[in-house]
Amino acid sequence: MNQMTQMNQAQLLHWINMVSFAVVDIAEYLDTHPVDAEAICYFNHHIEMHRNAMQVYADKFGPLTIDTANPDAYWDWAKQPLPWEGGGC
């Protein structure tokens, strides 16, 4: 996770997109192979990588989704510039 904290906003968004793709891809595989232990391990590993990346992004630039928003100020995320508006750069 330390490596992610060194990334700029664009790099971190790219990383989140790559890990998200891997999670969706393996989830689709698991739909047809639900007892593949290696695939389940891969899925769990990438889900954790995704959670970590989303938290790092939220800490540095503001949350992308409500589940990484500050619980004491849920609606603050709506006041921040969106990633494509140059928020956090």
Side-chain angles (χ1 to χ4, degrees), residues 68-88:
T68 56
N70 179 347
D72 298 324
Y74 277 122
W75 298 109
D76 285 350
W77 66 272
K79 299 174 189 172
Q80 300 175 53
L82 298 171
W84 55 87
E85 295 175 325

Side-chain angles (χ1 to χ4, degrees), residues 27-80:
E28 290 176 356
Y29 173 82
L30 285 168
D31 285 344
T32 58
H33 301 80
V35 295
D36 184 332
E38 188 175 341
I40 292 168
C41 182
Y42 181 92
F43 176 80
N44 289 334
H45 175 72
H46 282 75
I47 282 288
E48 187 61 28
M49 289 171 56
H50 183 264
R51 284 187 192 124
N52 289 339
M54 292 291 285
Q55 191 59 56
V56 168
Y57 188 95
D59 293 345
K60 289 180 75 170
F61 307 111
L64 288 173
T65 58
I66 194 70
D67 59 323
T68 56
N70 179 347
D72 298 324
Y74 277 122
W75 298 109
D76 285 350
W77 66 272
K79 299 174 189 172
Q80 300 175 53

Side-chain angles (χ1 to χ4, degrees), residues 4 12 15 17-19 29 57 66-67 71 73 88:
M4 280 187 285
L12 195 49
W15 176 250
N17 286 335
M18 289 191 314
V19 174
Y29 173 82
Y57 188 95
I66 194 70
D67 59 323

